[in-house]
Amino acid sequence: MTEKKLSDLNSTVTEKGIETDFRGKMTYGEYLHLDSLLSSQKRLSGHHDEMLFIIIHHVSELWMKLILHEMKAATVSIQEGELSAAFKMLARVSKIQKQIIEAWDVLSTLTPAEYMEFRDKLGQASGFQSYQYRMIEFALGYKTRHALAIYKKDPEVHQILDEALHAPSIYDVSIQALAKAGFDINPDILNRDVTETYEADKSVEAAWLEVYRDVDKYWDLYQLAEKLVDIEDWLQQWRFRHMKTVERIIGHKIGTGGSSGVSYLKKVLDHRFFPELWDLRTEI
């Protein structure tokens, strides 16, 4: 160690106010439960690169947990008419999505030959089974009731997903906000079965179109619309990077969970969560 590094270390240790006696006090590691967090990466193959694979997925699940935390709060805020509070939360979601997208760049350093060294150890486990990702889709209005069958093994998770299936999406409450603002929204949409995937409606498109044509009058609703577009845009970029990373590593092999792999991931790129917010761009 150089003299400068020793000097820096000594100045840090001797700086006044730095706590060194943690007897009876909570430490950083204890607050974050690092003992359990950092002991959760257990390789099944012993192969060096399996650690990368596990950590990328752990990090993504943690970010998804925060997305759901923010989305749930934003949905409640919109229901209560507190749109400004929702804007902050939705802006944070977009920033988180950027972090998840960039994680694919790290995973893409895994080569096909390296992945095949431990792929068989995954069995039928697949990211397709991520219940948090499914909950994000539900929160955005893409409801797939049949997907719940995947989670019957875990009654607690199945219950959480069933509750998410029956809850209004953030787009449902945004459309309700349009109605509260005086827009003439189709009653069938306002009272729709929220367990079904949302489909575009002319009355909703007309309302959003008026918002975009009179931004000053409907500034908060305009801001809400743009925040929703941001989230869908980032999600589709995530889906694209997912698809290309999978194609780069396994080509067109069948996924470990039985899906068609790249072919399935390409198909979901065509799905839109907030169709009217995209269609109106052609009409303006």
Side-chain angles (χ1 to χ4, degrees), residues 36-43 51 54-55 58:
S36 57
L37 179 65
L38 298 180
S39 63
S40 297
Q41 295 74 43
K42 303 182 188 301
R43 291 177 292 169
M51 183 64 74
I54 293 171
I55 287 178
H58 274 176

Side-chain angles (χ1 to χ4, degrees), residues 22-265:
F22 284 93
R23 288 172 294 182
K25 300 174 185 176
M26 181 176 63
T27 66
Y28 170 82
E30 288 168 339
Y31 173 67
L32 294 175
H33 296 279
L34 291 182
D35 53 346
S36 57
L37 179 65
L38 298 180
S39 63
S40 297
Q41 295 74 43
K42 303 182 188 301
R43 291 177 292 169
L44 297 181
S45 68
H47 190 273
H48 174 84
D49 294 302
E50 189 180 357
M51 183 64 74
L52 161 68
F53 190 81
I54 293 171
I55 287 178
I56 287 294
H57 287 85
H58 274 176
V59 169
S60 295
E61 290 291 336
L62 285 171
W63 280 130
M64 284 191 278
K65 182 174 183 176
L66 185 53
I67 285 175
L68 288 167
H69 177 72
E70 300 294 341
M71 288 284 292
K72 183 177 181 179
T75 300
V76 172
S77 292
I78 295 168
Q79 286 177 309
E80 296 177 348
E82 300 291 338
L83 297 188
S84 294
F87 297 158
K88 174 64 180 295
M89 299 163 191
L90 295 177
R92 182 176 292 162
V93 169
S94 293
K95 294 294 186 181
I96 298 166
Q97 289 175 295
K98 186 173 185 291
Q99 295 299 313
I100 295 180
I101 291 169
E102 291 179 348
W104 292 121
D105 292 337
V106 183
L107 187 59
S108 66
T109 64
L110 182 70
T111 68
E114 290 164 347
Y115 181 50
M116 291 309 293
E117 290 290 329
F118 61 86
R119 188 181 191 233
D120 64 322
K121 297 295 184 181
L122 304 181
Q124 280 69 56
S126 166
F128 183 80
Q129 298 147 17
S130 168
Y131 75 88
Q132 289 200 123
Y133 177 73
R134 198 70 58 193
M135 288 177 67
I136 290 173
E137 289 187 330
F138 286 5
L140 296 175
Y142 182 46
K143 305 291 183 75
T144 48
R145 184 188 296 270
H146 65 275
L148 266 67
I150 298 171
Y151 310 98
K152 285 183 177 179
K153 178 181 179 179
D154 189 331
E156 185 177 349
V157 169
H158 190 275
Q159 177 64 28
I160 291 171
L161 278 162
D162 188 63
E163 291 174 3
L165 180 72
H166 287 84
S169 72
I170 196 165
Y171 199 46
D172 287 318
V173 300
S174 296
I175 293 171
Q176 289 166 9
L178 289 172
K180 290 175 184 176
F183 289 100
D184 185 16
I185 303 297
N186 180 355
D188 291 339
I189 294 298
L190 294 175
N191 300 299
R192 77 182 196 89
D193 180 358
V194 297
T195 67
E196 300 292 332
T197 295
Y198 178 81
E199 294 184 4
D201 179 83
K202 289 296 183 183
S203 69
V204 174
E205 182 176 351
W208 283 126
L209 193 56
E210 187 172 343
V211 167
Y212 274 73
R213 284 175 172 163
D214 197 343
V215 171
D216 291 338
K217 182 177 180 180
Y218 300 111
W219 177 252
D220 281 353
L221 289 170
Y222 172 72
Q223 284 282 85
L224 174 60
E226 285 298 292
K227 290 290 187 291
L228 294 176
V229 170
D230 285 343
I231 288 173
E232 179 164 350
D233 191 348
W234 282 113
L235 185 66
Q236 292 293 45
Q237 290 185 55
W238 182 91
R239 282 174 161 177
F240 179 78
R241 288 295 294 122
H242 183 192
M243 181 270 293
K244 293 307 293 184
T245 303
V246 171
E247 185 175 24
R248 175 172 178 157
I249 296 174
I250 68 168
H252 288 266
K253 291 185 179 73
I254 296 296
T256 50
S259 75
S260 57
V262 169
S263 296
Y264 169 79
L265 295 173

Side-chain angles (χ1 to χ4, degrees), residues 8-24:
D8 291 343
L9 179 61
N10 289 334
S11 64
T12 300
V13 172
T14 59
E15 184 178 336
K16 292 181 179 180
I18 289 183
E19 193 67 56
T20 57
D21 184 359
F22 284 93
R23 288 172 294 182

